[in-house]
Structure formats: C-alpha cells, structure tokens
Amino acid sequence: MSDTRESDSTRPKQDRWVIARFKLDKSFKGKDTYMLAWTTTPWTLPSNMALAINLELNYAYVDLGDKVYIAGEDAISRYEKVFGSQPNIVCVVKGKELEGLTYEPVLPYFANKKEDGAFKVIGADYVDASEGLAVVHTAPAFGEDDYWACKANKVPLVNPVNEKGEFTQEVYDFAGKNVMQANGEIIKFLYNKEILCADGSIVHNYPHCWRCKTPLIYRGMKAWYLN
C-alpha cells in the first residue's frame, strides 16, 4: 500500500539574514577593502573558509570614503542601507579578476587554516545575482554546494558542530549551544566585532524533519558505503 500523505519536509520558515564583511589582504588605492557576503545562516560564519563568486558576473568597487566595499554590480541597488542612495562606484571588474584574492578570517577559531588554503575567493557556477550580493559565504561542512566548491579549490573543511547540533569547544564563545537557538546571540556578537553591516528577515523554504517538524541543518560527516 502506497503512502499518499503530502510531504512538508520543505516548507516556509522565517530567518534572519545578515551581510558580513570580509577584509581583503589587498587594499584598493590605499583604503581598507572588504568583500561583502549575504547569508541566511549566521551560525555558519564561525566556520567560514572561502567566499564564492561567479567568474562571469560583474563586481563593483563602492567607495564609502574611509573604506571600499565589493559586491555584485546588479545587487548593490537592493541594499541602500549599506551602499547609500547614490553608490559611488569607482571600478567594475569581472569575477575572474577577483578569483584568488585572500582575506582575513572574520573570527579567530580556525585562523590557522589559512596556511592550508582557506580564506580565499573562489569561483562557483551556482552563484548568481538573483538574491544577496552575488558573493556566497562558504562553510564546506554545512552545504553541499559549499563542500564541492571548496573541494575543487583545495579549501580545507572544518566542522565544529556535534551530532546534537551544538557548537563544539573549537567555537569557544558558543560551545555547547544549539546552533539554531544561538543565531540571535551570534548576530549580536558579530555586530559587536564590526563584522556585520546589515541584517533583516526573510521567509523562505527550508528543510524540516517530516516527523517532528524541527528545522534541519546540513552537516557533513564521515561515512562508509558498502557495495
């Protein structure tokens, strides 16, 4: 007998989005230069290992006086709070000109991974300008696209979340806390560190457990497959 119940494993959920800024090692005309990335999973920012861009899209340098922000050219008009009502675009380049740039880790937990190839700008075909800033914060243990893009670019993986969905001791500021429940605290923490420059809310489809209706997280884990 077949099961005809309609699955609601993916259904609408309201989440906070944030825009984080990543300081590039290379400045633009002597000014501190940041690449901006939009994400609906602030709890994954402690595990950031790379920034993904589309090599064929246009990216704009926006001069804010004391600093420069980089984001997808077509996305800038959506974020007046960040760029101002009349953005001062001083340079536009193709994504491929940004590939390989490196940046400072936004948090110290895995800063040593820079020696292994982390904290760099990589190309990824799935990045577009339909939402966000055409720059994707990438944490390879917490997204399939993230995982394969980082693997292709030899970016290391870190996974500071245990089987209960709690931060491990590696992320010592939030160790033992459920990642979903800690989201608000993490956002406040990141603002205090001047890592975030904007936030808001969004209703989007999100995976849930079909039995208990609990929101799920994507978490990489080692596994054996027998043929």
Side-chain angles (χ1 to χ4, degrees):
M1 181 176 173
S2 62
D3 188 343
T4 59
R5 291 174 300 177
E6 183 179 352
S7 170
D8 64 348
S9 58
T10 300
R11 56 201 181 99
K13 178 178 182 291
Q14 184 168 351
D15 273 321
R16 295 276 295 278
W17 60 259
V18 298
I19 294 177
R21 60 183 203 168
F22 300 78
K23 187 178 181 182
L24 296 178
D25 292 326
K26 182 180 180 181
S27 64
F28 181 77
K29 294 186 177 179
K31 295 185 178 182
D32 288 346
T33 304
Y34 300 82
M35 186 165 281
L36 303 188
W38 180 91
T39 180
T40 58
T41 54
W43 64 268
T44 63
L45 283 166
S47 306
N48 172 268
M49 289 284 111
L51 295 174
I53 60 172
N54 188 310
L55 301 183
E56 300 305 318
L57 288 179
N58 288 333
Y59 289 82
Y61 286 66
V62 182
D63 191 326
L64 280 82
D66 59 339
K67 56 187 171 289
V68 174
Y69 284 164
I70 302 174
E73 182 183 24
D74 293 340
I76 288 172
S77 61
R78 291 198 288 264
Y79 300 99
E80 184 175 325
K81 184 198 286 190
V82 176
F83 301 103
S85 58
Q86 295 182 315
N88 181 21
I89 296 175
V90 292
C91 180
V92 176
V93 300
K94 286 290 185 185
K96 57 189 174 185
E97 295 186 43
L98 302 173
E99 186 180 23
L101 290 177
T102 59
Y103 60 91
E104 297 178 3
V106 291
L107 292 167
Y109 312 122
F110 303 104
N112 63 326
K113 295 296 182 181
K114 194 163 189 174
E115 300 172 2
D116 301 326
F119 311 116
K120 64 184 178 184
V121 179
I122 62 176
D125 292 341
Y126 61 83
V127 179
D128 61 34
S130 61
E131 65 178 4
L133 291 163
V135 179
V136 176
H137 138 66
T138 304
F142 305 116
E144 185 174 3
D145 288 335
D146 301 46
Y147 173 82
W148 289 112
C150 286
K151 187 175 179 66
N153 288 275
K154 299 181 179 179
V155 174
L157 178 149
V158 296
N159 188 357
V161 176
N162 64 23
E163 295 86 351
K164 296 179 181 180
E166 301 166 341
F167 283 111
T168 63
Q169 289 297 323
E170 294 167 296
V171 181
Y172 43 81
D173 291 299
F174 305 100
K177 296 185 178 182
N178 177 276
V179 296
M180 290 286 195
Q181 295 172 3
N183 238 1
E185 186 179 347
I186 290 171
I187 291 172
K188 182 178 179 181
F189 179 84
L190 295 175
Y191 264 121
N192 288 337
K193 297 284 187 181
E194 298 185 341
I195 294 166
L196 302 185
C197 55
D199 70 277
S201 63
I202 184 174
V203 176
H204 59 161
N205 285 332
Y206 191 88
H208 290 67
C209 172
W210 68 273
R211 289 179 181 272
C212 66
K213 316 305 183 190
T214 303
L216 301 175
I217 65 170
Y218 182 104
R219 175 181 173 271
M221 58 183 289
K222 292 182 179 179
W224 287 95
Y225 293 90
L226 302 181
N227 185 348

